Amino acid sequence: MNRTSSDRDAKMPGRHGGAQDDQAHHHEHAHHHVHEQSGTGTEPAVAQPPAEGTIYTCPMHPEIRQDHPGNCPKCGMTLEPLLPELDEGDNPELVDFRRRFWWTLPLTGVVFVLAMFGHRLGWMEVSTQSWVELVLSTPVVLWAGRPFFVRFFQSIVNRSPNMWTLIGIGTGAAYLYSVVATIMPGAFPQAFAEHGRIGVYFEAAAVIISLTLLGQLLELKARSQTSAAIKSLLGLAPKTARRIGAGGIEEDVPLAHVHVGDLLRVRPGEKVPVDGVVTEGTSAVDESMITGEPIPTTKRAGDRVIGATMNTSGSLVIQSEKVGSQTVLSQIVQMVAQAQRSKAPMQRMADKVAGVFVVSVIGIAVLTFVAWGLFGPEPSWVFGLINAVAVLIIACPCALGLATPMSIMVASGKGASGGVLFRDAAAIENLRKVDTLIVDKTGTLTEGRPVFERAIGANGFTEEDVLRLAASVDQGSEHPLAAAIVDAARSRGLPLDKPESFESSSGIGVRGTLGGRKIAIGNTALMEAEGVATEALVAQADALRGQGASVMYLAVDSKLAGLLAVSDPVKTTTPEALARLRDEGIRVVMATGDGIATARAVAAKLGVDEFHGEVKPADKLELVSSLQQSGAVVAMAGDGINDAPALAKADVGIAMGTGTDVAMNSAQVTLVKGDLRGIARARQLSHATIRNMKQNLGFAFIYNALGVPLAAGVLYPVTGLLLSPMIAALAMSLSSASVIANALRLRNAAS
């Protein structure tokens, strides 16, 4: 954007300079651009999200969509609405699973203790113990495990073998075999008797159901966070608007009753209800949720305002232009929803091989049954049945189910202790693949709040004089720039005088009287109105603006006394963080809603070669998409509402813990202290975690690879031994113990 220095000064955003002409243009561009980006899908009504006509989709397979609740035909997961409702309450599936888990956990514990130690403790007759285990385990398997058997049958009907197929076959086989062994023990060869009874597997079925329920509870809690970003956005819009009716009568009406063309009053401290145009009044409006710029923008008649932004000082009358799903906020909601659904969560490594593994196990079980029936000793078909069931039981993925979650749990704890919070397994998996990082400026690279930088005196006034006089007048203002100047003067112990008068001239500066002297602080437009020549300091002012600072002139009795510069300082940790990322081969791109000049200044200071200024939320989303289409694996780091769509769309979204709730809910990773050095630490942990997960899966498959042939009886001709319940239990325990012990090694991973 080409401007003269005076033009730039006159349109400086904030109290001392409002960028009215440009703002109007940019806001029109934002509306148009966002609308283009969000033209498909179900458009939300921010105030009253639609309950009817809701589209449901699978979080694992976004291509599955239907107009009613249900389960995914591919993976069995419960379908979720594309857009959550603001007051929908707890996830009903989470509530249901929690009830099933806690009501049956004591039963599982008792069955497990009886199976492992009952014969040693001698509490009851062994035949009676089998009946007790049957009674206690039946509610666990048939009631608590019912959702899993439903998914198991769906996987069979839809010919989509997955982990539910294995769990259904394994637990079903263990339970049914044990029921038959308890009711008709005489049907089994005496070789299968142990401790005076036919071995039963009630504890295996019950423990697997309880462990699977626990895993589902953890997963559902993590998945519920994906809708938190949209709920946070829905909550930003005010619930009512103050409409001006015929004859100037004002009344508060629900936001849903506001129509295009209505006149609305926005009082100080209230949120702008909808997108519109100012018809009366002047005020500073905080638009940081859209632009990322921390300094409020002055609005006058003719300027556009955006719904859900905050009116800080004056009273405004606006005419509504866009309502409901057409507002910028609604379009951001839609972009976040689309971005979240455009990529599936991590397909667990176990699921990638589940199809082949399931078919292989079933094939081996059938082959075992037939081989024993045709070639085994009498009663051959009983031996065949028992060994086929043993194959299904030993193949049931206890350790396989623990392999990934254990690594994730340990890695999440390790990350949290270092100030890095992972929301799900996908973030840990994908972070190591990232080769491009897009970073927001305000609040991410910088502190996100204006700080006094320096003062320059003129015509006999010292730097200290300039700061003291400006701070004395600014005591009457609540503007962020004024607060920065006052804080700087007080921190230096400068004595501040109380102004005899104070007047705010919105958009150009303030005037006041100190000890009988007229003081004016503002931009070039105010200086011209006061008849003050600024040529003596123009060069210094331009140099400071080139470094990204906002500049205000100070005049005393219509004579130039100096200037003050306020800037958003770079975080002290940012240079080191960017250096570490560049050393790892990460391409760093800066995208900010600030002007081009400010963006260029910050980029030059930090050595960032690639930067984009005056970027709106839709532009950041488009930047992420274009980089992904070019083959890059993109991480996005930001802290504001305007970053939310890009955070959700990126392969890994990284939010600053010092930023907004919406950003944190949209992102998969949160840096608690807002320290970008956490990204490098998180990538190291990501590499270590994936190695650990592969090792765990290796342990689990090794035990299955050894246990399945043993269960099938391949060693029987040589040793005369078959798999006993105790050996199966020991193998299961050893495999799970190996996985847990290996996962715990992650606590020592480098950070």
Side-chain angles (χ1 to χ4, degrees):
M1 196 173 293
N2 296 320
R3 298 177 183 164
T4 64
S5 59
S6 60
D7 285 338
R8 246 186 347 227
D9 196 15
K11 295 181 180 180
M12 182 178 62
R15 175 196 59 150
H16 298 299
Q20 280 74 34
D21 298 335
D22 273 354
Q23 288 289 343
H25 169 73
H26 291 323
H27 293 164
E28 183 65 26
H29 172 71
H31 280 269
H32 176 67
H33 197 106
V34 172
H35 185 69
E36 287 183 338
Q37 290 291 329
S38 309
T40 61
T42 305
E43 290 190 309
V46 171
Q48 296 180 336
E52 298 181 2
T54 300
I55 302 299
Y56 294 85
T57 186
C58 173
M60 194 71 77
H61 300 94
E63 69 276 9
I64 301 297
R65 296 193 177 201
Q66 62 186 44
D67 59 1
H68 58 277
N71 292 334
C72 174
K74 290 187 176 182
C75 66
M77 294 181 74
T78 301
L79 301 181
E80 300 175 344
L82 270 175
L83 287 170
E85 296 183 22
L86 186 57
D87 54 354
E88 65 182 4
D90 286 340
N91 182 337
E93 186 182 23
L94 177 61
V95 173
D96 180 46
F97 278 19
R98 187 186 293 129
R99 185 176 68 251
R100 292 175 190 269
F101 175 73
W102 288 112
W103 275 98
T104 57
L105 183 61
L107 302 179
T108 299
V110 174
V111 171
F112 180 78
V113 170
L114 284 175
M116 293 295 103
F117 310 108
H119 62 283
R120 297 178 185 174
L121 298 173
W123 286 341
M124 63 189 75
E125 293 292 330
V126 288
S127 58
T128 305
Q129 181 178 321
S130 294
W131 281 99
V132 172
E133 290 183 29
L134 167 60
V135 171
L136 293 177
S137 63
T138 296
V140 181
V141 176
L142 299 187
W143 179 67
R146 184 179 180 277
F148 306 149
F149 287 110
V150 170
R151 295 177 183 183
F152 157 67
F153 285 119
Q154 286 180 331
S155 72
I156 301 298
V157 171
N158 294 309
R159 299 176 183 177
S160 178
N162 51 43
M163 293 299 291
W164 302 114
T165 317
L166 278 179
I167 290 171
I169 291 176
T171 55
Y175 177 75
L176 291 175
Y177 156 76
S178 302
V179 169
V180 175
T182 301
I183 297 174
M184 297 185 296
F188 294 82
Q190 194 57 37
F192 288 91
E194 191 170 61
H195 303 298
R197 67 169 179 168
I198 301 299
V200 291
Y201 288 85
F202 288 120
E203 87 285 352
V207 167
I208 290 167
I209 292 295
S210 291
L211 281 176
T212 306
L213 274 172
L214 177 60
Q216 286 300 290
L217 287 176
L218 295 174
E219 183 176 315
L220 284 168
K221 287 182 73 68
R223 275 166 47 200
S224 68
Q225 295 302 311
T226 61
S227 65
I230 297 174
K231 289 182 181 180
S232 297
L233 285 167
L234 293 173
L236 288 174
K239 303 299 181 289
T240 61
R242 191 165 186 80
R243 185 167 59 192
I244 303 175
I249 298 174
E250 299 184 7
E251 61 173 339
D252 291 327
V253 298
L255 193 62
H257 294 175
V258 174
H259 303 289
V260 174
D262 284 352
L263 289 178
L264 308 172
R265 181 169 306 278
V266 188
R267 291 166 293 192
E270 291 182 339
K271 288 182 178 179
V272 177
V274 295
D275 297 5
V277 177
V278 177
T279 59
E280 294 178 26
T282 301
S283 180
V285 177
D286 182 355
E287 296 184 326
S288 58
M289 61 168 281
I290 299 296
T291 65
E293 169 58 53
I295 300 172
T297 304
T298 300
K299 299 292 183 180
R300 297 192 188 89
D303 291 338
R304 281 181 167 76
V305 290
I306 301 172
T309 55
M310 180 64 72
N311 181 30
T312 62
S313 53
S315 178
L316 296 174
V317 175
I318 68 169
Q319 185 174 33
S320 62
E321 279 193 330
K322 296 182 179 180
V323 299
S325 63
Q326 299 303 310
T327 64
V328 169
L329 178 62
S330 286
Q331 300 294 350
I332 291 178
V333 170
Q334 183 62 35
M335 285 190 291
V336 171
Q338 287 180 344
Q340 286 182 341
R341 300 299 180 188
S342 66
K343 65 180 190 301
M346 180 181 74
Q347 298 285 351
R348 289 181 178 165
M349 295 181 193
D351 284 336
K352 293 177 182 177
V353 297
V356 176
F357 186 64
V358 169
V359 173
S360 301
V361 168
I362 294 173
I364 293 171
V366 172
L367 185 62
T368 299
F369 176 69
V370 173
W372 273 92
L374 294 177
F375 307 111
E378 290 298 329
S380 61
W381 291 104
V382 174
F383 274 112
L385 177 63
I386 300 304
N387 288 322
V389 170
V391 167
L392 294 173
I393 291 169
I394 196 68
C396 194
C398 261
L400 203 59
L402 283 173
T404 301
M406 275 304 300
S407 296
I408 296 303
M409 287 171 61
V410 178
S412 298
K414 173 68 176 177
S417 66
V420 180
L421 303 181
F422 293 103
R423 193 179 72 195
D424 53 28
I428 298 177
E429 186 199 35
N430 292 333
L431 196 57
R432 78 192 203 285
K433 304 175 186 175
V434 167
D435 54 31
T436 303
L437 173 65
I438 302 174
V439 287
D440 175 47
K441 180 189 78 70
T442 305
T444 303
L445 296 174
T446 67
E447 296 289 351
R449 61 181 184 276
V451 174
F452 174 76
E453 187 170 310
R454 65 172 301 191
I456 299 176
N459 296 322
F461 288 89
T462 66
E463 174 183 341
E464 189 175 276
D465 294 334
V466 172
L467 178 57
R468 183 178 58 80
L469 291 170
S472 295
V473 173
D474 273 335
Q475 289 179 97
S477 173
E478 295 181 356
H479 194 281
L481 291 181
I485 292 170
V486 173
D487 288 346
R490 286 176 175 162
S491 67
R492 299 185 185 190
L494 299 180
L496 302 185
D497 300 323
K498 185 176 180 180
E500 289 105 44
S501 66
F502 177 83
E503 175 194 352
S504 175
S505 300
S506 295
I508 58 174
V510 299
R511 298 178 176 89
T513 306
L514 279 174
R517 294 189 295 179
K518 290 169 52 183
I519 309 293
I521 313 164
N523 59 19
T524 305
L526 179 62
M527 294 299 108
E528 289 175 353
E530 292 288 310
V532 178
T534 59
E535 288 80 3
L537 294 177
V538 166
Q540 289 101 317
D542 287 343
L544 288 167
R545 290 192 197 97
Q547 297 170 15
S550 297
V551 176
M552 292 144 281
Y553 291 105
L554 173 72
V556 178
D557 290 332
S558 299
K559 184 178 179 182
L560 183 66
L563 60 77
L564 303 101
V566 176
S567 65
D568 184 9
V570 171
K571 292 179 181 177
T572 56
T573 58
T574 296
E576 179 189 345
L578 295 182
R580 288 180 64 176
L581 292 169
R582 280 192 288 262
D583 290 343
E584 293 181 17
I586 303 294
R587 170 187 175 192
V588 179
V589 181
M590 186 180 79
T592 176
D594 284 358
I596 297 293
T598 302
R600 180 181 290 111
V602 174
K605 187 180 297 183
L606 294 173
V608 176
D609 298 325
E610 205 171 338
F611 64 90
H612 302 266
E614 299 179 357
V615 177
K616 299 298 182 288
D619 302 328
K620 289 186 180 181
L621 181 65
E622 176 58 32
L623 178 60
V624 172
S625 298
S626 63
L627 287 170
Q628 288 174 328
Q629 289 168 8
S630 68
V633 181
V634 181
M636 168 74 196
D639 74 324
I641 295 165
N642 59 318
D643 300 316
L647 287 169
K649 176 66 175 172
D651 296 286
V652 180
I654 303 170
M656 303 296 108
T658 51
T660 62
D661 289 341
V662 173
M664 284 182 273
N665 290 329
S666 300
Q668 293 172 294
V669 180
T670 298
L671 304 180
V672 177
K673 298 177 182 177
D675 184 350
L676 286 177
R677 293 178 298 183
I679 298 176
R681 292 196 296 270
R683 290 187 80 247
Q684 291 178 346
L685 186 57
S686 172
H687 282 288
T689 303
I690 298 306
R691 280 197 306 270
N692 191 268
M693 287 163 60
K694 290 178 178 177
Q695 292 163 358
N696 284 349
L697 289 168
F699 281 124
F701 280 116
I702 286 172
Y703 280 104
N704 275 316
L706 295 176
V708 168
L710 182 61
V714 296
L715 297 181
Y716 182 78
V718 179
T719 64
L721 295 176
L722 292 174
L723 189 69
S724 73
M726 291 307 294
I727 294 175
L730 180 62
M732 239 180 260
S733 299
L734 283 174
S735 61
S736 298
S738 299
V739 165
I740 293 171
N742 187 58
L744 291 175
R745 293 192 310 112
L746 272 175
R747 293 182 300 183
N748 301 319
S751 60

